[in-house]
Amino acid sequence: MTKFFLKTYGCQMNALDSEVIDGLLRERDFSPVSSMEEAEVIILNTCCVREKTEHKVYGKLGQIKSLKQHKPELVVALCGCMSQAYGAELLEKEYPLDLVMGTGAIDKLPDALLDCLAGKGGKVECSLNGHLPPYESAVRKGTVSAFVEIMRGCDNYCTYCVVPYVRGAERSRAVGELESEVRGLVERGYRQVILIGQNVNSYRDNGTDFPPLLRRLAGIPGLKRTRFTTSHPKDLSSALIKVMAEVPTVCEHLHLPLQAGSDSVLAKMGRGYTAADYLRLLEEVRQALPEISVSTDMMVGFPGETEEDFQATLDIVEQARFNCAFTFVYTDRPKAKSSGFSDKVPLPERRERLSRLNELQNSISDELTQRMVGKQMTVLVEEENRGGDRSLGVDPSAPQSWRGRSGTNYLVFFTGETKPGEEVAVKINSAKTWTLFGKMVS
Ligand code: SAM
Ligand code: SF4
């Protein structure tokens, strides 16, 4: 058994790719370890959507370099989006790398590692070949909820984004294949699936688009909940809103990235909607699903963003009242068109805008979360809250402490007698940012 350590950066798509890598390696007599020091093979499954994540990977490579000085036989592989973006270039630098495997080379990783371990040298495998990973090999991290990738890649080419260059063109998986994957997961005890893709609303297989796919998958017997992410606002249809409102197992949560509130910035980003379009869409969603929670992504300091443009982002945040937001400072990305735009906003200014945006959004999130106190909600139990977490206000000594999620995607810690995979009613007693605390009611 060859011991491997696998570290994942970035989004849910990468988390699923790592579950596949994990499974493929176990099939070939590799066994996972939890520290780099114990490992004979280290694999970093990387992300390069933002500069900050990339810096974390370079930091990790620095640590690995010192490890490798004492253990020269250690084999190190870089996988995922950074490999795809930089390819062979990475081997020419001072990084302690033996293998650079792109996003389409997951299935080739075990052989490449075995060759390397047998002293046959390093390798670069980064052609964007459109391959889909062998999903059936995935070793799932959770026992209640599983990711199901319905489409891969992106054709939108938002001007700031590296994804189309590192994940390739959009390809959708066949409806039948997805149906049997979800049925298989339910048979193995999974109660929730999270359908993932860069833009799930672009899904299309032989005339079936996302709303009917969602209806079919969410209707599979035994499946208690279906979530999906990410929805591009320009493609979110009334048909999808209808399915969300009609099918009770589809969760009342929507992740709808806004990015910015200024129409001129949105146009320069190539997003294909205006602030007014976005607000109209939100209104339609909330009319159909009054209890829905909405999360978003926003970016500040896009090239040319003026203080007035930024104010438009603050204004729309006030109006939209998102339950939660993932906020970022804009950074140039390899191949992304905006990297060549003039009028870059100085970094201190971008950071200052980010903190103003966070201050506003946090106050809205806090207010909306506090409104949950006193309510009763249905929670899907995910796992025992082992040891508790004092920083979240959970008493580690509390008996029968559990962790789960509401349909609206709030993280809920609660006490009571239950087990993972059950849906239970919880009365919320207190709340903090995106987390709720409560007690099970019979
Ligand atoms: N497909 C999703 C969509 O259309 O909104 C987004 C996927 S992207 C991988 C996740 C988020 O990263 C984006 O919504 C955006 O806010 C952020 N992001 C992407 N490129 C960025 C960049 N160059 N600088 C800062 N944030 C960026
Ligand atoms: Fe990137 Fe835009 Fe595609 Fe999302 S839709 S992955 S932001 S190019």
Side-chain angles (χ1 to χ4, degrees):
M1 288 259 180
T2 309
K3 293 181 200 147
F4 73 95
F5 174 82
L6 169 60
K7 172 134 184 87
T8 311
Y9 297 83
C11 66
Q12 291 152 320
M13 270 65 83
N14 247 18
L16 176 58
D17 282 356
S18 283
E19 292 179 347
V20 175
I21 292 173
D22 189 357
L24 288 173
L25 292 179
R26 290 181 202 223
E27 285 166 17
R28 302 290 291 277
D29 278 346
F30 285 77
S31 76
V33 290
S34 53
S35 77
M36 294 203 296
E37 288 69 21
E38 294 167 79
E40 294 157 82
V41 166
I42 296 177
I43 303 148
L44 304 183
N45 190 16
T46 61
C47 166
C48 61
V49 165
R50 287 173 295 276
E51 199 178 53
K52 201 170 165 185
T53 333
E54 216 172 271
H55 286 159
K56 285 188 196 159
V57 175
Y58 289 129
K60 190 55 94 186
L61 285 173
Q63 288 173 18
I64 296 172
K65 195 168 179 176
S66 9
L67 262 181
K68 217 172 160 160
Q69 271 158 5
H70 304 287
K71 204 172 167 185
E73 69 284 8
L74 183 68
V75 170
V76 184
L78 200 83
C79 299
C81 295
M82 273 175 79
S83 304
Q84 198 62 54
Y86 303 112
E89 218 181 277
L90 291 164
L91 284 184
E92 286 155 20
K93 300 203 170 142
E94 294 290 284
Y95 305 123
L97 290 173
D98 301 286
L99 291 173
V100 176
M101 308 291 282
T103 54
I106 289 176
D107 51 342
K108 301 205 175 89
L109 182 64
D111 280 335
L113 285 172
L114 288 168
D115 282 352
C116 229
L117 286 161
K120 292 188 193 158
K123 197 172 180 180
V124 180
E125 181 68 61
C126 290
S127 71
L128 254 187
N129 48 25
H131 275 183
L132 292 174
Y135 299 103
E136 64 286 355
S137 292
V139 169
R140 307 289 179 169
K141 279 230 176 323
T143 54
V144 172
S145 179
F147 294 125
V148 174
E149 190 167 51
I150 62 165
M151 51 88 65
R152 202 168 166 95
C154 183
D155 290 342
N156 286 315
Y157 291 92
C158 299
T159 54
Y160 52 80
C161 187
V162 72
V163 168
Y165 306 99
V166 292
R167 293 251 157 194
E170 269 174 23
R171 30 312 164 203
S172 294
R173 293 175 66 198
V175 176
E177 187 186 318
L178 291 168
E179 242 176 349
S180 58
E181 182 169 331
V182 175
R183 281 186 202 282
L185 287 164
V186 172
E187 275 162 26
R188 284 161 53 202
Y190 289 90
R191 293 294 166 256
Q192 172 175 277
V193 289
I194 307 176
L195 309 177
I196 55 174
Q198 285 302 341
N199 177 8
V200 290
N201 298 322
S202 292
Y203 176 89
R204 183 165 292 272
D205 172 53
N206 269 326
T208 303
D209 60 3
F210 186 54
L213 174 79
L214 181 60
R215 198 183 281 279
R216 260 166 95 160
L217 298 182
I220 289 176
L223 189 63
K224 289 183 174 160
R225 286 185 177 182
T226 304
R227 300 186 183 279
F228 59 89
T229 192
T230 295
S231 274
H232 194 307
K234 79 177 167 52
D235 299 316
L236 191 145
S237 63
S238 303
L240 176 61
I241 298 172
K242 194 162 183 278
V243 176
M244 291 182 78
E246 285 178 3
V247 182
T249 52
V250 176
C251 289
E252 284 184 300
H253 171 240
L254 183 66
H255 185 64
L256 195 65
L258 163 68
Q259 309 304 357
S262 146
D263 287 344
S264 70
V265 171
L266 286 169
K268 276 167 87 184
M269 287 177 165
R271 290 293 287 176
Y273 54 86
T274 62
D277 294 335
Y278 187 96
L279 286 173
R280 260 195 305 273
L281 191 59
L282 210 52
E283 179 60 25
E284 189 185 342
V285 170
R286 287 182 171 146
Q287 283 275 335
L289 295 127
E291 298 298 318
I292 197 163
S293 72
V294 181
S295 55
T296 197
D297 291 347
M298 283 178 284
M299 183 188 315
V300 295
F302 186 78
E305 185 189 75
T306 60
E307 175 60 27
E308 205 185 338
D309 291 321
F310 175 62
Q311 277 301 328
T313 299
L314 296 180
D315 289 348
I316 195 169
V317 165
E318 294 263 19
Q319 292 174 68
R321 299 187 65 75
F322 299 113
N323 297 76
C324 166
F326 300 90
T327 55
F328 313 106
V329 289
Y330 165 85
T331 47
D332 286 345
R333 296 290 67 217
K335 298 197 179 117
K337 218 169 156 188
S338 62
S339 302
F341 289 1
S342 54
D343 286 345
K344 295 277 162 61
V345 178
L347 186 58
E349 218 162 299
R350 279 182 267 160
R351 290 197 174 132
E352 193 269 337
R353 286 181 190 169
L354 183 70
S355 68
R356 277 194 281 157
L357 175 61
N358 285 343
E359 201 179 315
L360 173 62
Q361 179 54 49
N362 289 346
S363 69
I364 295 169
S365 293
D366 273 347
E367 191 195 320
L368 295 177
T369 308
Q370 290 302 331
R371 281 195 199 163
M372 303 297 148
V373 176
K375 288 198 175 169
Q376 187 173 304
M377 46 179 67
T378 308
V379 173
L380 178 66
V381 187
E382 285 177 358
E383 59 181 7
E384 205 173 344
N385 178 35
R386 281 187 208 95
D389 185 341
R390 278 195 196 279
S391 66
L392 290 170
V394 177
D395 177 1
S397 61
Q400 304 280 6
S401 173
W402 302 94
R403 184 200 134 107
R405 286 211 180 243
S406 67
T408 46
N409 211 27
Y410 279 99
L411 184 60
V412 186
F413 289 94
F414 64 98
T415 51
E417 260 187 56
T418 181
K419 59 178 195 284
E422 289 200 339
E423 271 188 322
V424 296
V426 174
K427 171 98 185 290
I428 304 303
N429 300 324
S430 63
K432 201 174 173 185
T433 47
W434 191 239
T435 313
L436 305 175
F437 307 95
K439 201 172 180 178
M440 212 176 116
V441 288
S442 51

